[in-house]
Amino acid sequence: MIILRYGTRQIPLRAGEFLIGRSVECHLVLDDDLASRRHARIRIDAERASVEDLRSTNGVMVNGQRISNLVPLCHGDRIVVGSTEFAIEHTISAPPWIPSAVELTEADTQDLSYAVDGSALASAADPVEDEVTGRQDMLTILGAVADKSLQLGQPDHAERVLSAFLKQMLSEAKAGRPGAPADIERADHLCVKLAKATSKADWVNHIFDIHAYARQLVPGAVIDELLSVVRKIPKLDSSALRRYLEVMAPQAPQLTPSQKFLLQRTEALVRVIAAK
């Protein structure tokens, strides 16, 4: 049997299709401003489960990666629809992907809305949502999910939600496609949150690595946060920070006075790390 875990609820999925979105036509109706009317569809048959994005506004994420096609699902996979996260689970009592004979509880039916007939769900004439938005919206969606996890005292889960997307941004910057400075700054703040919550040096290094590849100054607000965070992270060295400063040094003559002051404040982090 396959189970869709949603918050504290466990929803058994039967063979066929299961729609998720804000529309009352969906099997699971979400109260989520970032979800589309018909956002995602999970397909179950005798052999496998899969999920697809129904051309929603904000896309569907599986294990931190935005999907563009029908994607097979495995036990433990995490799905994000809007700002709502789901988990796929197999029960031990039955082989995976067989039709469920378990009826939904009354609590579950408060969140589920089944159509009287299947015509509305199968209609090809329904309007589709706008095409998926870009990196900025993905940062908003994943950041919202991660913030919920941090508020619940689950830093490891927040890290799993953000890790793949942040590493993808770093890879793109290394390949010469760093993206907009505003997107990088938003990613910086997420990295600071992860560094503070997990005490992992990798997330501090991520900030300096991506700015070195992008050849962009680390914003002052990020430096302010780092000045307090780096003191609390064990096994943090300044190698990534030093590489960033080496990359930025040739640009110093072209910087404005305020930018030069910002670079000096960044250099102070080397002394803070050394003094730990």
Side-chain angles (χ1 to χ4, degrees):
M1 179 187 302
I2 180 172
I3 299 293
L4 184 69
R5 183 176 292 278
Y6 166 48
T8 59
R9 308 251 173 92
Q10 296 185 49
I11 304 173
L13 298 182
R14 301 169 177 83
E17 297 185 343
F18 187 86
L19 295 185
I20 303 172
R22 287 189 293 106
S23 172
V24 294
E25 296 174 351
C26 294
H27 297 84
L28 178 55
V29 180
L30 298 180
D31 181 15
D32 185 338
D33 292 340
L34 293 176
S36 299
R37 291 180 60 254
R38 290 161 51 91
H39 197 118
R41 173 165 45 213
I42 297 177
R43 295 182 178 180
I44 309 290
D45 60 33
E47 298 178 355
R48 67 182 186 278
S50 54
V51 65
E52 64 180 329
D53 180 8
L54 299 179
R55 298 184 65 183
S56 64
T57 300
N58 289 316
V60 175
M61 309 290 288
V62 176
N63 299 329
Q65 297 283 351
R66 183 168 54 188
I67 66 173
S68 56
N69 301 304
L70 190 67
V71 173
L73 294 170
C74 300
H75 175 75
D77 281 349
R78 302 277 179 172
I79 305 168
V80 175
V81 173
S83 63
T84 306
E85 186 180 56
F86 304 89
I88 295 293
E89 296 182 358
H90 300 170
T91 61
I92 298 175
S93 58
W97 317 129
I98 65 173
S100 170
V102 178
E103 294 298 325
L104 294 174
T105 65
E106 181 179 354
D108 289 330
T109 59
Q110 293 176 1
D111 286 325
L112 302 178
S113 177
Y114 287 91
V116 175
D117 58 62
S119 60
L121 299 180
S123 173
D126 286 346
V128 296
E129 299 286 345
D130 295 334
E131 62 185 48
V132 296
T133 53
R135 180 184 288 166
Q136 185 176 12
D137 288 326
M138 290 302 101
L139 288 167
T140 299
I141 293 167
L142 295 179
V145 175
D147 282 342
K148 289 181 182 178
S149 297
L150 293 175
Q151 290 167 8
L152 293 171
Q154 300 173 345
D156 291 345
H157 181 258
E159 187 175 37
R160 287 197 299 272
V161 169
L162 292 171
S163 180
F165 194 79
L166 292 174
K167 289 178 180 177
Q168 179 184 336
M169 287 186 66
L170 183 60
S171 296
E172 290 177 356
K174 186 176 182 179
R177 303 186 303 275
D183 291 342
I184 294 178
E185 182 173 359
R186 296 181 76 180
D188 290 342
H189 289 293
L190 293 175
C191 287
V192 170
K193 289 180 180 181
L194 290 178
K196 185 176 181 180
T198 66
S199 297
K200 291 184 179 179
D202 287 348
W203 296 115
V204 174
N205 294 336
H206 183 287
I207 294 171
F208 295 114
D209 285 340
I210 196 169
H211 281 273
Y213 290 133
R215 287 174 167 75
Q216 297 174 9
L217 288 170
V218 179
V222 178
I223 297 299
D224 289 341
E225 293 181 276
L226 287 174
L227 283 167
S228 62
V229 170
V230 297
R231 292 183 171 91
K232 303 173 184 178
I233 299 178
K235 299 181 180 179
L236 174 63
D237 63 48
S238 59
S239 56
L241 171 56
R242 290 178 184 277
R243 286 195 300 271
Y244 161 75
L245 292 172
E246 289 174 1
V247 168
M248 298 305 298
Q251 299 185 32
Q254 288 78 43
L255 298 179
T256 65
S258 61
Q259 290 173 328
K260 290 179 180 178
F261 179 68
L262 176 57
L263 198 57
Q264 290 172 354
R265 292 180 59 216
T266 307
E267 291 170 349
L269 278 171
V270 176
R271 298 188 291 275
V272 173
I273 294 172
K276 287 197 309 151

